[in-house]
Amino acid sequence: MITVVGSINMDLVVKTDNFPKQGETTLGTLYTTVPGGKGANQAVAAARLGSAVQMIGAVGQDAFGTELLAGLKNEGVLIDQVKRTDGTSGIANILLSEGDNRIIVVPGANHSVTTEEIDALADQLVKSELVIMQLEMPISVVQRTLEICHQNGVPSILNPAPASGFTTEMLPFCTYLTPNETEAEEIFGENWEKALEEFSNRLVVTLGQKGAQFYDGEKHVLVEGFPANVVDTTGAGDTFNGALATALVEEKEFEWAVRFANAAASLSVEKFGAQGGMPERTAVLERMAGDRI
Ligand SMILES: Nc1ncnc2c1ncn2[C@@H]1O[C@H](COP(=O)(O)OP(=O)(O)OP(=O)(O)O)[C@@H](O)[C@H]1O
């Protein structure tokens, strides 16, 4: 069982030809709601690939909360440990205009999770094969989860996004760290490639269409990305993490696991929405077998 301790949001997407200026009102061309939140996205990515997944987190008592839980359940993600709180579910208000975007995230229920609640769920963490976290939850909750995993020998993946929440105290506790290039720079500075050497087979930096890079103890390994017909790259990183977790739980060799994650993420960018394009296992294996499309 993979346990994801993370955010569950409703993405409120508005497309417009013109962003409003201060004090201005403009017409939009589309409004849609899509389930999101890095935690939920990564849980769905792993579940679609065949992993048993449970989610720890929180949604509100509002209609979005009901819809978000139903969506996760429909994907086969266990939601027994998702709390419902008073107040609103987390939302991301996403304005899109010609490839540009402006996003406001309101954490809502996600930030109601406490370290005491994590302590009370320690048995759920301890019995997990792997635990995934991101940084959209209270930092104290992430730190406590990492500590419990570390103390009990449970492997963990920390996807340090958004990187502003990262603290170096987290480093010794997480098994794997999966920043994108910008986050790697924010955490380790311009010389993040040196950090790969320090955390061999533990630190993987995702590089967009170029793929992902890690250090295997002897040399730097660039695992090339798979070419894709890009429609929407939202959720590429989340698919990568869910797929990496799936392969690691299956005790696949590390380079193979990263290649599997690249292939899954390359499929995810070919459809709209973070969860919309997340592939099933067969499609990923086909892409890997075809090597290049
Ligand atoms: N244009 C692309 N074509 C093919 N694969 C891609 C593309 N963009 C991203 N990927 C895949 O997704 C992985 C994660 O992408 P990236 O490094 O951009 O992370 P990210 O910034 O967290 O993504 P996002 O924020 O868009 O979800 C990459 O390692 C790669 O495997």
Side-chain angles (χ1 to χ4, degrees):
M1 169 82 69
I2 293 172
T3 300
V4 180
V5 181
S7 56
I8 308 169
N9 288 338
M10 189 62 89
D11 290 351
L12 316 179
V13 184
V14 170
K15 280 192 181 165
T16 175
D17 293 332
N18 308 296
F19 285 133
K21 297 186 188 72
Q22 196 173 0
E24 192 189 21
T25 301
T26 59
L27 277 183
T29 54
L30 174 114
Y31 165 68
T32 182
T33 56
V34 279
K38 291 181 197 300
N41 288 347
Q42 294 180 18
V44 169
R48 282 218 191 134
L49 293 166
S51 288
V53 184
Q54 76 166 340
M55 183 92 213
I56 292 178
V59 295
Q61 292 285 3
D62 52 1
F64 283 156
T66 306
E67 203 179 327
L68 289 165
L69 288 182
L72 285 170
K73 198 171 171 195
N74 192 37
E75 295 285 349
V77 175
L78 292 178
I79 51 168
D80 299 356
Q81 310 304 341
V82 179
K83 177 178 76 161
R84 289 202 80 162
T85 63
D86 292 338
T88 59
S89 297
I91 62 106
N93 200 341
I94 303 176
L95 298 183
L96 297 175
S97 184
E98 287 170 24
D100 196 2
N101 62 49
R102 292 172 193 201
I103 302 174
I104 302 174
V105 174
V106 183
N110 295 303
H111 273 196
S112 75
V113 179
T114 64
T115 51
E116 288 76 19
E117 284 164 356
I118 294 296
D119 284 338
L121 290 171
D123 60 326
Q124 298 292 328
L125 298 172
V126 171
K127 72 176 190 196
S128 306
E129 291 166 279
L130 187 142
V131 174
I132 317 180
M133 280 147 286
Q134 316 76 28
L135 297 174
E136 289 187 333
M137 298 294 269
I139 297 311
S140 56
V141 162
V142 177
Q143 183 68 29
R144 187 72 194 118
T145 307
L146 283 170
E147 283 166 14
I148 294 172
C149 291
H150 189 255
Q151 278 159 12
N152 292 282
V154 178
S156 59
I157 295 180
L158 175 60
N159 175 222
S164 53
F166 184 83
T167 66
T168 47
E169 280 153 49
M170 293 172 180
L171 261 182
F173 292 98
C174 62
T175 317
Y176 303 101
L177 190 72
T178 56
N180 67 15
E181 200 170 356
T182 319
E183 290 149 5
E185 247 178 66
E186 225 172 291
I187 295 169
F188 299 108
E190 266 176 37
N191 289 331
W192 56 263
E193 284 189 63
K194 269 266 160 258
L196 291 175
E197 292 171 21
E198 201 181 325
F199 301 101
S200 57
N201 294 312
R202 285 182 56 206
L203 172 60
V204 193
V205 178
T206 63
L207 304 168
Q209 63 181 4
K210 281 188 277 173
Q213 191 177 341
F214 68 98
Y215 187 78
D216 72 0
E218 289 176 358
K219 60 181 184 312
H220 285 269
V221 182
L222 172 66
V223 186
E224 274 187 46
F226 291 78
N229 301 313
V230 180
V231 173
D232 178 10
T233 62
T234 320
D238 293 334
T239 309
F240 183 95
N241 279 282
L244 184 71
T246 295
L248 289 174
V249 162
E250 292 169 8
E251 296 184 4
K252 296 287 195 291
E253 194 243 326
F254 196 64
E255 184 170 344
W256 192 94
V258 174
R259 203 159 157 270
F260 181 76
N262 274 342
S266 79
L267 284 158
S268 80
V269 303
E270 295 186 338
K271 288 194 186 141
F272 176 75
Q275 295 177 12
M278 287 174 178
E280 295 192 350
R281 180 181 296 252
T282 326
V284 180
L285 295 177
E286 271 170 18
R287 178 149 291 186
M288 288 172 88
D291 214 13
R292 302 281 172 260
I293 55 167

